[in-house]
Coordinates of all heavy atoms in Angstrom, one line a residue:
M1 N -7.9 -115.1 -58.2 CA -7.0 -113.8 -57.8 C -7.5 -113.5 -56.4 O -8.9 -113.4 -56.2 CB -7.4 -112.7 -58.9 CG -6.9 -111.4 -58.4 SD -7.4 -110.0 -59.6 CE -6.2 -110.2 -60.9
R2 N -6.6 -113.0 -55.7 CA -6.9 -112.4 -54.4 C -6.2 -110.9 -54.4 O -5.2 -110.8 -54.9 CB -6.3 -113.2 -53.3 CG -6.8 -114.6 -53.2 CD -8.2 -114.7 -52.7 NE -8.5 -114.1 -51.4 CZ -9.6 -114.2 -50.7 NH1 -10.6 -114.8 -51.3 NH2 -9.7 -113.6 -49.5
V3 N -7.0 -110.1 -53.8 CA -6.5 -108.6 -53.8 C -6.5 -108.2 -52.3 O -7.3 -108.7 -51.5 CB -7.6 -107.8 -54.4 CG1 -7.0 -106.3 -54.5 CG2 -7.8 -108.2 -55.9
S4 N -5.5 -107.4 -52.0 CA -5.4 -106.9 -50.6 C -4.8 -105.5 -50.8 O -4.2 -105.1 -51.8 CB -4.4 -107.6 -49.7 OG -3.1 -107.7 -50.3
V5 N -5.2 -104.6 -49.8 CA -4.8 -103.3 -49.9 C -4.1 -102.9 -48.5 O -4.4 -103.5 -47.5 CB -6.0 -102.3 -50.2 CG1 -6.4 -102.5 -51.5 CG2 -7.1 -102.4 -49.1
D6 N -3.1 -101.9 -48.6 CA -2.5 -101.5 -47.4 C -3.0 -100.1 -47.2 O -2.5 -99.2 -47.9 CB -0.9 -101.5 -47.7 CG -0.1 -101.1 -46.5 OD1 -0.8 -100.5 -45.6 OD2 1.1 -101.4 -46.5
T7 N -3.9 -99.9 -46.3 CA -4.4 -98.5 -46.1 C -3.4 -97.6 -45.4 O -3.5 -96.4 -45.6 CB -5.7 -98.5 -45.2 OG1 -5.4 -99.3 -44.1 CG2 -6.8 -99.2 -45.9
D8 N -2.4 -98.1 -44.9 CA -1.4 -97.2 -44.3 C -0.4 -96.7 -45.4 O 0.0 -95.5 -45.3 CB -0.5 -98.0 -43.3 CG -1.2 -98.4 -42.0 OD1 -2.0 -97.5 -41.7 OD2 -0.9 -99.3 -41.4
A9 N -0.2 -97.4 -46.4 CA 0.5 -97.0 -47.6 C -0.2 -96.1 -48.5 O 0.4 -95.2 -49.2 CB 1.1 -98.2 -48.4
C10 N -1.6 -96.3 -48.6 CA -2.3 -95.6 -49.5 C -2.2 -94.0 -49.3 O -2.3 -93.6 -48.2 CB -3.8 -96.1 -49.3 SG -5.0 -95.0 -50.3
C11 N -2.0 -93.3 -50.3 CA -1.9 -91.9 -50.3 C -3.3 -91.1 -50.9 O -3.1 -90.0 -51.2 CB -0.7 -91.4 -51.0 SG -0.2 -92.2 -52.6
A12 N -4.2 -92.0 -50.9 CA -5.6 -91.4 -51.1 C -5.7 -90.6 -52.5 O -6.4 -89.7 -52.6 CB -6.1 -90.6 -50.0
M13 N -5.0 -91.2 -53.5 CA -5.1 -90.6 -54.8 C -6.4 -90.9 -55.6 O -6.8 -90.2 -56.5 CB -3.9 -91.0 -55.6 CG -2.5 -90.6 -55.1 SD -2.3 -88.9 -55.1 CE -1.9 -88.6 -56.9
G14 N -7.0 -92.1 -55.2 CA -8.2 -92.4 -55.9 C -8.2 -93.0 -57.1 O -9.2 -93.2 -57.8
R15 N -7.1 -93.2 -57.7 CA -6.8 -93.7 -59.1 C -7.5 -95.0 -59.3 O -8.2 -95.5 -60.3 CB -5.4 -93.8 -59.4 CG -5.1 -93.8 -60.9 CD -3.6 -93.8 -61.1 NE -3.1 -92.5 -60.9 CZ -1.8 -92.1 -61.1 NH1 -0.9 -93.1 -61.4 NH2 -1.4 -90.9 -60.9
C16 N -7.4 -96.0 -58.2 CA -8.0 -97.3 -58.2 C -9.6 -97.2 -58.3 O -10.1 -98.0 -59.1 CB -7.6 -98.1 -57.1 SG -8.0 -97.4 -55.5
A17 N -10.0 -96.4 -57.5 CA -11.5 -96.3 -57.4 C -12.0 -95.7 -58.9 O -13.2 -96.1 -59.3 CB -12.0 -95.5 -56.3
D18 N -11.4 -94.8 -59.5 CA -11.7 -94.2 -60.7 C -11.6 -95.3 -61.8 O -12.5 -95.3 -62.7 CB -10.9 -93.0 -61.1 CG -11.0 -91.9 -60.2 OD1 -12.1 -91.8 -59.6 OD2 -10.2 -91.0 -60.2
T19 N -10.6 -96.2 -61.7 CA -10.4 -97.1 -62.7 C -11.3 -98.3 -62.6 O -11.8 -98.9 -63.6 CB -8.9 -97.6 -62.7 OG1 -8.1 -96.4 -62.8 CG2 -8.6 -98.6 -63.8
E20 N -11.5 -98.9 -61.4 CA -12.3 -100.1 -61.1 C -13.2 -99.8 -59.9 O -12.9 -100.4 -58.8 CB -11.4 -101.4 -61.1 CG -12.3 -102.6 -61.1 CD -13.4 -102.6 -62.1 OE1 -13.2 -102.9 -63.2 OE2 -14.6 -102.2 -61.6
P21 N -14.2 -99.2 -60.1 CA -15.1 -98.8 -58.9 C -15.9 -99.9 -58.4 O -16.5 -99.9 -57.4 CB -16.1 -97.7 -59.4 CG -16.0 -97.9 -60.9 CD -14.7 -98.5 -61.2
R22 N -15.9 -101.1 -59.1 CA -16.6 -102.4 -58.6 C -15.7 -103.1 -57.6 O -16.2 -104.0 -56.9 CB -16.9 -103.3 -59.8 CG -18.0 -102.7 -60.7 CD -18.1 -103.4 -62.0 NE -16.9 -103.3 -62.9 CZ -16.9 -103.8 -64.1 NH1 -17.9 -104.4 -64.6 NH2 -15.8 -103.7 -64.8
V23 N -14.4 -102.7 -57.6 CA -13.6 -103.5 -56.6 C -13.0 -102.5 -55.6 O -12.8 -102.9 -54.5 CB -12.4 -104.0 -57.4 CG1 -11.5 -104.7 -56.4 CG2 -13.0 -105.1 -58.4
F24 N -12.7 -101.2 -55.9 CA -12.1 -100.2 -55.1 C -13.1 -99.0 -54.9 O -13.7 -98.5 -55.8 CB -10.8 -99.6 -55.6 CG -9.8 -100.9 -55.9 CD1 -9.6 -101.3 -57.4 CD2 -9.0 -101.5 -54.9 CE1 -8.7 -102.3 -57.6 CE2 -8.1 -102.4 -55.1 CZ -8.0 -103.0 -56.5
D25 N -13.1 -98.6 -53.6 CA -13.8 -97.4 -53.2 C -12.8 -96.6 -52.5 O -11.8 -96.9 -52.1 CB -15.1 -97.6 -52.5 CG -16.1 -96.6 -52.5 OD1 -15.7 -95.5 -53.1 OD2 -17.1 -96.7 -51.9
Q26 N -13.3 -95.3 -52.1 CA -12.5 -94.5 -51.1 C -13.3 -94.2 -50.0 O -14.5 -93.9 -50.0 CB -12.1 -93.2 -51.9 CG -11.0 -93.3 -52.9 CD -10.7 -92.0 -53.5 OE1 -11.4 -91.5 -54.3 NE2 -9.6 -91.4 -52.9
D27 N -12.6 -94.2 -48.7 CA -13.2 -93.8 -47.5 C -13.7 -92.3 -47.6 O -13.0 -91.5 -48.1 CB -12.2 -93.9 -46.3 CG -12.9 -93.7 -45.0 OD1 -13.0 -92.4 -44.7 OD2 -13.2 -94.5 -44.4
E28 N -15.0 -92.1 -47.2 CA -15.5 -90.7 -47.3 C -14.7 -89.7 -46.6 O -14.7 -88.5 -47.0 CB -17.0 -90.8 -46.9 CG -17.9 -91.5 -47.9 CD -19.4 -91.3 -47.5 OE1 -19.7 -90.4 -46.6 OE2 -20.2 -91.9 -48.0
D29 N -14.2 -90.1 -45.5 CA -13.4 -89.1 -44.6 C -12.0 -88.9 -45.0 O -11.5 -87.8 -45.0 CB -13.7 -89.5 -43.1 CG -15.1 -89.5 -42.6 OD1 -15.8 -88.6 -43.1 OD2 -15.5 -90.4 -41.8
T30 N -11.3 -90.1 -45.1 CA -9.9 -90.0 -45.3 C -9.5 -90.1 -46.7 O -8.4 -89.7 -47.1 CB -9.2 -91.2 -44.5 OG1 -9.7 -92.4 -45.1 CG2 -9.6 -91.2 -43.0
G31 N -10.3 -90.6 -47.6 CA -10.0 -90.8 -49.0 C -9.2 -92.0 -49.3 O -8.8 -92.4 -50.5
T32 N -8.7 -92.7 -48.2 CA -7.9 -94.0 -48.5 C -8.8 -95.0 -49.0 O -10.1 -95.0 -49.0 CB -7.4 -94.5 -47.2 OG1 -8.4 -94.6 -46.2 CG2 -6.3 -93.5 -46.7
V33 N -8.2 -96.0 -49.6 CA -8.8 -97.1 -50.4 C -9.7 -97.9 -49.5 O -9.3 -98.2 -48.4 CB -7.8 -98.0 -51.2 CG1 -6.8 -98.6 -50.2 CG2 -8.5 -98.9 -52.1
V34 N -10.8 -98.3 -50.0 CA -11.7 -99.3 -49.4 C -11.8 -100.5 -50.4 O -12.2 -100.3 -51.5 CB -13.1 -98.7 -49.0 CG1 -14.0 -99.8 -48.5 CG2 -12.9 -97.6 -48.1
L35 N -11.5 -101.7 -50.1 CA -11.6 -102.9 -50.8 C -13.0 -103.4 -50.8 O -13.5 -103.8 -49.7 CB -10.5 -103.9 -50.4 CG -10.5 -105.2 -51.3 CD1 -10.0 -104.8 -52.7 CD2 -9.5 -106.2 -50.6
L36 N -13.7 -103.5 -52.0 CA -15.1 -103.9 -52.0 C -15.1 -105.5 -52.3 O -16.1 -106.1 -51.8 CB -15.8 -103.2 -53.0 CG -15.9 -101.7 -53.0 CD1 -16.6 -101.1 -54.2 CD2 -16.5 -101.3 -51.6
Q37 N -14.1 -105.9 -53.0 CA -14.1 -107.4 -53.4 C -12.6 -107.9 -53.3 O -11.8 -107.5 -54.0 CB -14.6 -107.7 -54.8 CG -16.0 -107.1 -55.1 CD -16.4 -107.7 -56.5 OE1 -16.5 -108.9 -56.6 NE2 -16.6 -106.9 -57.4
A38 N -12.4 -108.9 -52.3 CA -11.0 -109.5 -52.2 C -10.8 -110.4 -53.2 O -9.6 -110.9 -53.6 CB -10.9 -109.9 -50.8
A39 N -11.8 -111.0 -53.8 CA -11.8 -112.1 -54.8 C -12.7 -111.8 -56.0 O -13.7 -112.3 -56.3 CB -12.2 -113.5 -54.2
P40 N -12.2 -110.8 -56.8 CA -13.0 -110.3 -57.9 C -13.2 -111.4 -59.0 O -12.2 -112.2 -59.2 CB -12.2 -109.1 -58.5 CG -10.9 -109.3 -58.0 CD -10.9 -110.0 -56.7
P41 N -14.3 -111.3 -59.7 CA -14.5 -112.3 -60.7 C -13.7 -112.2 -61.8 O -13.0 -110.9 -62.1 CB -16.0 -112.1 -61.2 CG -16.3 -110.7 -60.8 CD -15.4 -110.4 -59.6
P42 N -13.4 -113.1 -62.8 CA -12.4 -113.1 -63.8 C -12.6 -112.0 -64.8 O -11.4 -111.4 -65.2 CB -12.6 -114.5 -64.5 CG -13.1 -115.4 -63.5 CD -14.0 -114.4 -62.7
D43 N -13.7 -111.4 -65.0 CA -13.9 -110.4 -66.0 C -13.3 -109.0 -65.5 O -13.2 -108.1 -66.3 CB -15.3 -110.2 -66.4 CG -16.3 -110.0 -65.3 OD1 -16.1 -110.7 -64.3 OD2 -17.1 -109.0 -65.4
L44 N -13.0 -109.0 -64.2 CA -12.5 -107.7 -63.6 C -10.9 -107.7 -63.5 O -10.3 -106.9 -63.0 CB -13.1 -107.4 -62.3 CG -14.7 -107.2 -62.4 CD1 -15.1 -106.9 -60.9 CD2 -15.1 -106.3 -63.3
H45 N -10.3 -109.1 -63.7 CA -8.9 -109.2 -63.4 C -8.0 -108.3 -64.1 O -7.0 -107.8 -63.5 CB -8.5 -110.6 -63.6 CG -9.1 -111.7 -62.6 ND1 -8.7 -112.9 -62.6 CD2 -9.9 -111.5 -61.6 CE1 -9.4 -113.5 -61.6 NE2 -10.1 -112.7 -61.1
D46 N -8.2 -108.0 -65.3 CA -7.3 -107.2 -66.2 C -7.3 -105.7 -65.5 O -6.3 -105.1 -65.4 CB -7.7 -107.1 -67.5 CG -7.3 -108.3 -68.3 OD1 -6.6 -109.1 -67.8 OD2 -7.9 -108.5 -69.5
T47 N -8.4 -105.2 -65.2 CA -8.5 -103.8 -64.6 C -8.0 -103.8 -63.2 O -7.3 -102.8 -62.9 CB -9.9 -103.2 -64.7 OG1 -10.8 -104.1 -64.2 CG2 -10.3 -102.8 -66.1
V48 N -8.1 -104.8 -62.5 CA -7.5 -104.9 -61.2 C -6.0 -105.0 -61.2 O -5.4 -104.3 -60.4 CB -8.0 -106.1 -60.4 CG1 -7.3 -106.3 -59.1 CG2 -9.6 -105.9 -60.1
R49 N -5.5 -105.7 -62.2 CA -4.0 -105.7 -62.3 C -3.6 -104.2 -62.7 O -2.6 -103.8 -62.3 CB -3.7 -106.7 -63.4 CG -3.7 -108.1 -63.1 CD -3.3 -109.0 -64.0 NE -3.7 -110.4 -63.9 CZ -4.6 -111.1 -64.5 NH1 -5.2 -110.4 -65.5 NH2 -5.0 -112.3 -64.2
L50 N -4.3 -103.6 -63.6 CA -3.9 -102.3 -64.1 C -4.0 -101.3 -62.8 O -3.0 -100.5 -62.7 CB -4.9 -101.8 -65.0 CG -4.8 -100.4 -65.6 CD1 -3.4 -100.3 -66.4 CD2 -5.8 -100.0 -66.6
C51 N -4.8 -101.5 -61.9 CA -5.0 -100.6 -60.8 C -3.8 -100.8 -59.9 O -3.2 -99.8 -59.4 CB -6.3 -101.0 -60.0 SG -7.8 -100.5 -60.7
A52 N -3.3 -102.1 -59.8 CA -2.1 -102.3 -58.9 C -1.0 -101.7 -59.5 O -0.1 -101.1 -58.9 CB -2.0 -103.8 -58.7
E53 N -0.8 -101.8 -60.9 CA 0.3 -101.2 -61.6 C 0.2 -99.6 -61.5 O 1.4 -99.0 -61.4 CB 0.3 -101.5 -63.1 CG 0.6 -103.0 -63.3 CD 0.4 -103.4 -64.8 OE1 0.3 -102.4 -65.7 OE2 0.4 -104.7 -65.0
L54 N -0.9 -99.0 -61.6 CA -1.0 -97.6 -61.5 C -0.9 -97.0 -60.3 O -0.6 -95.7 -60.1 CB -2.3 -97.1 -62.2 CG -2.6 -97.5 -63.7 CD1 -4.0 -97.1 -64.1 CD2 -1.6 -96.7 -64.5
C55 N -1.2 -97.7 -59.2 CA -1.3 -97.1 -57.8 C 0.1 -96.4 -57.5 O 1.2 -97.1 -57.5 CB -1.4 -98.3 -56.7 SG -1.4 -97.5 -55.1
P56 N 0.2 -95.1 -57.3 CA 1.4 -94.5 -57.1 C 2.0 -94.8 -55.7 O 3.3 -94.5 -55.5 CB 1.0 -93.0 -57.1 CG -0.4 -93.0 -56.6 CD -1.0 -94.2 -57.2
C57 N 1.4 -95.5 -54.8 CA 1.9 -95.8 -53.5 C 2.1 -97.3 -53.4 O 2.4 -97.8 -52.2 CB 0.9 -95.3 -52.4 SG 0.6 -93.6 -52.6
T58 N 2.0 -98.1 -54.4 CA 2.1 -99.6 -54.3 C 1.3 -100.1 -53.1 O 1.8 -101.0 -52.4 CB 3.6 -100.0 -54.3 OG1 4.3 -99.4 -53.2 CG2 4.3 -99.7 -55.5
A59 N 0.1 -99.7 -52.9 CA -0.8 -100.1 -51.9 C -1.6 -101.3 -52.2 O -2.3 -101.7 -51.3 CB -1.6 -98.9 -51.4
I60 N -1.6 -101.7 -53.5 CA -2.5 -102.8 -53.9 C -1.7 -103.9 -54.2 O -0.7 -103.9 -55.0 CB -3.2 -102.3 -55.2 CG1 -4.2 -101.1 -54.8 CG2 -4.1 -103.5 -55.6 CD1 -4.8 -100.4 -56.0
T61 N -2.1 -105.2 -53.6 CA -1.3 -106.3 -53.8 C -2.2 -107.4 -54.5 O -3.3 -107.5 -54.1 CB -0.7 -107.0 -52.6 OG1 0.2 -106.0 -52.0 CG2 0.1 -108.3 -52.8
V62 N -1.8 -107.9 -55.7 CA -2.6 -108.9 -56.4 C -1.8 -110.1 -56.4 O -0.7 -110.3 -56.6 CB -2.8 -108.5 -57.9 CG1 -3.5 -109.6 -58.6 CG2 -3.7 -107.3 -57.9
T63 N -2.5 -111.2 -55.8 CA -2.0 -112.6 -55.9 C -2.8 -113.4 -56.8 O -4.0 -113.6 -56.7 CB -2.1 -113.2 -54.4 OG1 -1.4 -112.3 -53.5 CG2 -1.4 -114.6 -54.3
E64 N -2.1 -114.1 -57.7 CA -2.8 -114.9 -58.7 C -2.9 -116.3 -58.1 O -1.9 -116.9 -57.6 CB -2.0 -115.0 -60.0 CG -1.7 -113.6 -60.6 CD -2.8 -112.9 -61.4 OE1 -3.9 -113.6 -61.5 OE2 -2.8 -111.7 -61.7
E65 N -4.0 -116.9 -58.3 CA -4.4 -118.3 -57.7 C -4.6 -119.2 -58.8 O -5.1 -118.9 -59.8 CB -5.5 -118.2 -56.7 CG -5.2 -117.3 -55.5 CD -6.2 -117.5 -54.4 OE1 -7.4 -117.7 -54.8 OE2 -6.0 -117.2 -53.2
Ligands
SF4_101 S1 -4.5 -95.8 -56.3 FE1 -3.3 -96.4 -54.5 S2 -3.0 -94.6 -53.5 FE2 -4.6 -94.2 -54.7 S3 -6.5 -94.6 -53.5 FE3 -5.9 -96.5 -54.7 S4 -4.6 -97.7 -53.2 FE4 -4.8 -95.6 -52.5

């Protein structure tokens, strides 16, 4: 799995960082998403997919490899 984020599209809701803080964080100043792991391990894939589904701004893209 590969993960990418679009910080321009991100509306800084923080839902991803709340749901999977091992993969997503928020910028301290702007609140926009910070990607911590672009290739998360398999045990995190389900929650990463959930984060992409829940993101209100469709700012998270998941590519299955
Ligand atoms: S859930 Fe989406 S909009 Fe909210 S911080 Fe994460 S990437 Fe940004």
